[in-house]
Amino acid sequence: MESSNESAEINGGEKESDKLLTSQSSTQNGQSPAAKSPKQSPQNLGVQKKENLTVSSASHSSLSRPSDVPTLRVTEDPADSEKTSIKRRILKVAVTIMFLVMAVGVIVIWSLHDGGKENKQAKFIFFHANDLYLKIDTGHEDQTSLAGSIGGDLFVVPGSDERGIDKCKSDAKWCFTWKEKTVLTVDYVKRESMGCMDISWQNITSIFPTDCYELKMGYWFGMGGKEKWIANNNPLTEDYYLPGYDKQHGNVYEFYLLSSYGTSFYIVSEDPFRLRLNESDDTKLCISPVPVGPRMHTSLEYSICQGDSIQNTHTGASMMSHRQSTGSNKVNITPYERFSWSVGNVDELLNVTKVTDFMEKLKKRGFQCGEIEIDYKWETFEGDFEFDSNIKNTLNTLKNHDCQFILPISPVVSYMSKMFDYGVQNELFVKDMYQNTLRLYSYGDIQGALLDMSAENTRDIIKEKLKNLANIINISSFKLKKVPVSVHTSAGDGGRFSVSGIFRGWINAIESLGKIHILENVYRAQDKSVLIEVGSSISLNTNNQSCLSNPFPTVFTLGIDGYPYLLSTVSKNNLTSDLFIRWLQYSAFFTGLTLPSDTLFMRNGTRPFVTKVKKFRDGFVSQIIRSLQPDVSPSQPILLPLWWHYSSDKKVFGIEDQFLFNETILIAPVFCAGQTTRDIYLPAIDGIWSHQPTGKNYNGNKWIRNFNVGLDEIHYFKAKNVY
C-alpha cells in the first residue's frame, strides 16, 4: 500500500501535468499566462518555467519588449495557417496521449514497486508514514495479524514529535530524525518468499520510544516462557532484557515470534531492551530500548515479515542474519548413536574407582561404554582448568580404557583459583560497564569473574588449557555450563558488550581441538556444530502425581531458533523406575541422550527396556537421522511441532505435548507416574495413522480418547498413504 508521502508524490506529479496541459491550452487560445506569485513553491516555480518555454507564437504580442526593438510582422498564407492549425491539433493530441501514457506508466511502475499494493510479496504490508502506523495483513480474507504504532506514546506528548523526514542520510525507504540526532529508519525488503519491514532506532539518548503491536490473529510461537512455547495469553514482563541472558526463558535466547498465519517478529540487535507481552488482557507486544552506561549507545533493531504460510515465512526468516546456514553446522552424530552416561555427584571429588567399577558393570551387561560425563568436582577451584592434584596421578586408568569422556567446563573463574589472579593481571575478564572495573558473579556456590572469550588473548590462553586437559584423558566433548551475563556488563568491541561474542569465543576455542561441544545454553551459534542439552526435571502436579516436565516447548523453540541437534537429559532427583521408562520412550527419538549411571536402570525391569531402546535406536532412529542429515539446517530441525507438516489442519497449532520425528512419525509422550492412558490427536492426512507396535490403523483429523500407553513398548504412530 502506498504511504501518505508516496501518495502525495504521485498526486503532486499528476497536478503538475494538469498545469502544463492547462498552460498549453490557454496560450494556444491567445491568453497570457498568469503572473507569477512571489510566494510560489519550488515545485510551482518548476512548472512556471515549463510554461514560459511552451509559449506559442500567438501570445508573443502580450509579452513586454523594450520600446527600441522594431516589430517584425509576418503575413501568413491562408493555406499555411490551416496547416499550422492542423499541426497544432495534432500536437495537442500527441501531448495528451503522451501524458496519458506517462500516467499509466506511473501506475504500472508503482504497482510493481516494493510498496505497491498489488506486489505479490508486499501487498499485505501497510505503513503510514505520517503517524508511523504499521499493519500486517495475512492475506486470508483481509484479516490483520499484527498492527501498531512505532514510537507509541512518544508522539502523543505535546511538543515531543520533532522529527524531520528530510534530515536523514539513509538508504532506507523512510527515515526520520529527532532532537539530539536520534534516528528511526523503516525499510521494506523482500526476502525469499516474504516481504519484511525492517525497523531500526539508533543513537538513542533522550528519546525513549516504545513500539507496541497487537498480535491479533492465530497462534504465536516462541519466547512463551518456561514449559510453554505458545505465546498467546502467556504474560511476560521484563524490565530489562538482554539477549543471551538466562533469566526465565530456559535454554533459548533469541527473540523470535512466529504466527500460525505466517507473520514473524525478530529482534536483530544485541543491545538491552524492555519487553512486555500480554501484560494486560489484550494480546499486545511492546518493546523499547534501554540506554545503559555513560555512553548511551543503545540501538533497537527488529524485522517484521509476512509470507504466504507459516512454513515459508520461517524458511525465509531462517535465512536472515545469523540464522543463515553456512553448511558448517553438520554435527558428527556418530558418537551419540551410543548412549552417554552421567556419573557421580557434583559435590564429590572424581572417584576413579567408582568410574572404573561402573565401566565394568556396563561391559558385563553388554552395553558399550560410549561417553561418560565426569560431573564430579574435578578441579580444586572452579576455573583452574586443571585436574585436582589428588586424582591427577590416577587418571591413566581412565585414559587406557576404551571409554571417552565428556568434561564440563565453567565460564566463571572462582576468586580463590590461581587463574583468577592471572586473569585480573592480564585483563581476561568482563567488566562493569559503569565503573570499568572487574564484575563479580555469584555462580552456584562460588563467586568469581566471567572470562571475556570475545577477546583473542583470552581465547588463546583457554585453548592451550583445554588442549592440556585433552592430553590427560580421552575427551570426546567439552560441555560448557551456563554463561551468566547482565545488562551492566561490558566486554570486547571497544567496551561494547557482545553476548554472541562470548558464546562464539568458547565454541571457537573448543572447535580448535576438533571436539564436538555440548552446551547448556547458546546464543547465535547456528552456524556452529553444537549439541544443545535439553533436560526434564521432576515435580508434583496438581493431582499430586510425580511428573516429568514437558521438554518440548524448549525443543520446538530451539528448533525454530536454528538448533536441530539436541541431547536429552533427566534429573536424578526423585527419578523412579516408571518415570525413567517414560523419559526413555520419548528420548529415544533425540539426536542423543545421557542416561544416569545409577543402578536404577539395572533393577525393577528397567534394564531390559534400556536394551530395547538401544536396539530401537540402532535399527530405526539412527538410520532416519542419517537420511535426514543432508537436509538438516538452522531452518530444518529434526524434532518438529505437528504444524510443521500438517498446518492445513488448524487443530494442530494448539498442541505442544506431541511431536513429529520426520514427517511420518508422531509421538505422544506420557509424563506422569502411574498414568497409563492419554488423549492423542492424529492430524488430517490423505491416508491413515498406524500405531506401532500393535499395527492398528486410525483415521486422521480426530482425537483418540484414553488411548492405552503401556510401559513395555516404545509407542508411536506412522503415517501411511493408502489412497
Side-chain angles (χ1 to χ4, degrees), residues 17-157:
S17 301
D18 292 342
K19 288 181 180 180
L20 182 54
L21 287 171
T22 303
S23 172
Q24 291 171 335
S25 176
S26 63
T27 54
Q28 289 163 2
N29 292 328
Q31 299 173 0
S32 62
K36 186 165 57 178
S37 168
K39 293 185 179 181
Q40 280 182 300
S41 67
Q43 287 182 332
N44 291 336
L45 288 175
V47 174
Q48 183 68 44
K49 185 176 182 181
K50 292 179 183 177
E51 291 171 344
N52 289 341
L53 292 175
T54 320
V55 176
S56 66
S57 60
S59 63
H60 285 183
S61 60
S62 64
L63 300 177
S64 59
R65 300 187 182 92
S67 57
D68 57 345
V69 177
T71 302
L72 179 63
R73 297 183 178 273
V74 179
T75 303
E76 296 181 348
D77 184 271
D80 291 339
S81 177
E82 184 178 353
K83 290 179 182 179
T84 301
S85 178
I86 293 173
K87 288 180 180 180
R88 286 176 178 172
R89 286 196 294 270
I90 293 173
L91 178 61
K92 183 177 181 179
V93 171
V95 170
T96 302
I97 292 173
M98 178 184 70
F99 278 101
L100 287 173
V101 170
M102 289 174 63
V104 171
V106 167
I107 294 172
V108 171
I109 291 172
W110 185 249
S111 68
L112 297 175
H113 189 267
D114 287 347
K117 184 176 181 180
E118 299 305 321
N119 184 285
K120 189 172 183 179
Q121 282 80 30
K123 63 181 179 180
F124 305 134
I125 299 179
F126 304 89
F127 177 66
H128 302 279
N130 285 344
D131 53 5
L132 302 183
Y133 181 78
L134 178 66
K135 184 175 76 166
I136 307 293
D137 282 352
T138 64
H140 299 270
E141 301 177 357
D142 294 328
Q143 294 174 317
T144 300
S145 67
L146 177 148
S149 297
I150 301 175
D153 294 340
L154 174 66
F155 309 118
V156 298
V157 177

Side-chain angles (χ1 to χ4, degrees), residues 277-297:
L277 178 62
N278 305 322
E279 195 174 38
S280 64
D281 293 336
D282 298 327
T283 304
K284 183 176 286 188
L285 168 69
C286 291
I287 56 171
S288 58
V290 181
V292 294
R295 281 176 283 182
M296 309 279 275
H297 51 232

Side-chain angles (χ1 to χ4, degrees), residues 6 15 35 53 70 97 109 113 158 162 244 285 359 427 518 527 532 570 644 702:
E6 291 166 339
K15 290 178 181 178
L53 292 175
I97 292 173
I109 291 172
H113 189 267
E162 300 178 9
L285 168 69
M359 291 188 292
E427 297 187 342
I518 302 170
D527 61 337
I532 311 301
V570 64
W644 199 277
K702 64 181 296 185

Side-chain angles (χ1 to χ4, degrees), residues 325-619:
S325 173
T326 62
S328 63
N329 64 327
K330 305 299 182 185
V331 174
N332 178 9
I333 62 169
T334 303
Y336 292 96
E337 292 180 3
R338 304 182 293 176
F339 294 141
S340 60
W341 308 88
S342 175
V343 299
N345 186 306
V346 294
D347 296 326
E348 303 176 33
L349 287 174
L350 178 62
N351 187 321
V352 176
T353 302
K354 185 174 180 179
V355 175
T356 53
D357 287 346
F358 170 72
M359 291 188 292
E360 289 300 320
K361 288 179 182 179
L362 285 177
K363 186 176 181 180
K364 287 179 181 179
R365 288 164 175 78
F367 291 105
Q368 291 178 309
C369 184
E371 288 77 33
I372 295 180
E373 180 180 338
I374 301 177
D375 50 2
Y376 290 98
K377 183 178 179 181
W378 58 274
E379 300 167 287
T380 304
F381 296 107
E382 201 92 12
D384 278 335
F385 296 101
E386 294 179 358
F387 284 103
D388 184 87
S389 58
N390 295 325
I391 62 173
K392 191 171 183 180
N393 295 331
T394 64
L395 290 174
N396 284 332
T397 306
L398 300 181
K399 186 175 183 179
N400 295 330
H401 207 282
D402 62 351
C403 292
Q404 294 182 309
F405 296 92
I406 301 169
L407 192 66
I409 53 177
S410 173
V412 173
V413 175
S414 169
Y415 76 95
M416 298 178 67
S417 69
K418 293 182 294 183
M419 183 66 182
F420 183 84
D421 294 332
Y422 179 82
V424 171
Q425 294 172 10
N426 292 275
E427 297 187 342
L428 303 182
F429 302 123
V430 298
K431 297 180 179 180
D432 184 283
M433 182 174 288
Y434 296 106
Q435 305 296 329
N436 197 32
T437 57
L438 180 66
R439 183 171 184 82
L440 294 180
Y441 290 88
S442 293
Y443 186 66
D445 59 349
I446 68 170
Q447 191 173 37
L450 176 65
L451 285 162
D452 180 10
M453 294 298 288
S454 64
E456 185 177 358
N457 62 322
T458 309
R459 288 197 302 270
D460 290 341
I461 292 169
I462 298 305
K463 282 180 186 179
E464 190 62 30
K465 288 187 173 292
L466 296 181
K467 184 177 179 181
N468 292 337
L469 290 170
N471 289 333
I472 296 174
I473 60 173
N474 187 11
I475 296 175
S476 63
S477 307
F478 287 101
K479 174 182 171 181
L480 179 65
K481 295 182 180 179
K482 288 187 177 180
V483 176
V485 294
S486 74
V487 176
H488 309 297
T489 303
S490 65
D493 192 20
R496 184 164 186 171
F497 183 71
S498 170
V499 181
S500 60
I502 296 287
F503 280 100
R504 294 177 73 87
W506 278 106
I507 293 171
N508 290 337
I510 300 171
E511 206 169 40
S512 67
L513 304 176
K515 306 295 180 184
I516 296 174
H517 18 288
I518 302 170
L519 306 178
E520 288 187 351
N521 61 0
V522 69
Y523 181 67
R524 296 193 175 172
Q526 286 90 338
D527 61 337
K528 296 294 184 179
S529 297
V530 294
L531 193 64
I532 311 301
E533 185 175 273
V534 179
S536 291
S537 58
I538 300 169
S539 60
L540 296 177
N541 66 5
T542 54
N543 296 323
N544 208 33
Q545 289 176 293
S546 183
C547 299
L548 294 159
S549 60
N550 178 10
F552 292 99
T554 298
V555 167
F556 298 152
T557 312
L558 283 171
I560 67 168
D561 275 347
Y563 301 101
Y565 297 104
L566 306 176
L567 181 71
S568 182
T569 66
V570 64
S571 171
K572 300 175 188 178
N573 298 327
N574 304 315
L575 182 63
T576 61
S577 296
D578 55 347
L579 284 180
F580 178 61
I581 290 176
R582 292 304 189 192
W583 173 77
L584 281 173
Q585 284 176 331
Y586 64 75
S587 296
F589 297 92
F590 278 64
T591 310
L593 62 158
T594 298
L595 287 79
S597 63
D598 308 64
T599 55
L600 173 69
F601 70 91
M602 299 178 185
R603 66 174 183 266
N604 298 332
T606 56
R607 184 164 63 87
F609 197 79
V610 173
T611 302
K612 181 179 289 188
V613 170
K614 181 68 172 63
K615 291 181 179 178
F616 179 72
R617 285 177 60 79
D618 289 346

Side-chain angles (χ1 to χ4, degrees), residues 591-661:
T591 310
L593 62 158
T594 298
L595 287 79
S597 63
D598 308 64
T599 55
L600 173 69
F601 70 91
M602 299 178 185
R603 66 174 183 266
N604 298 332
T606 56
R607 184 164 63 87
F609 197 79
V610 173
T611 302
K612 181 179 289 188
V613 170
K614 181 68 172 63
K615 291 181 179 178
F616 179 72
R617 285 177 60 79
D618 289 346
F620 184 70
V621 174
S622 294
Q623 293 182 24
I624 292 178
I625 291 178
R626 289 194 204 101
S627 69
L628 292 175
Q629 202 164 11
D631 298 322
V632 173
S633 71
S635 60
Q636 180 63 45
I638 294 175
L639 305 181
L640 307 164
L642 298 189
W643 56 255
W644 199 277
H645 291 296
Y646 304 109
S647 60
S648 59
D649 183 346
K650 302 306 179 185
K651 298 185 187 73
V652 302
F653 287 108
I655 298 174
E656 54 186 346
D657 62 351
Q658 299 179 199
F659 69 98
L660 297 174
F661 174 68

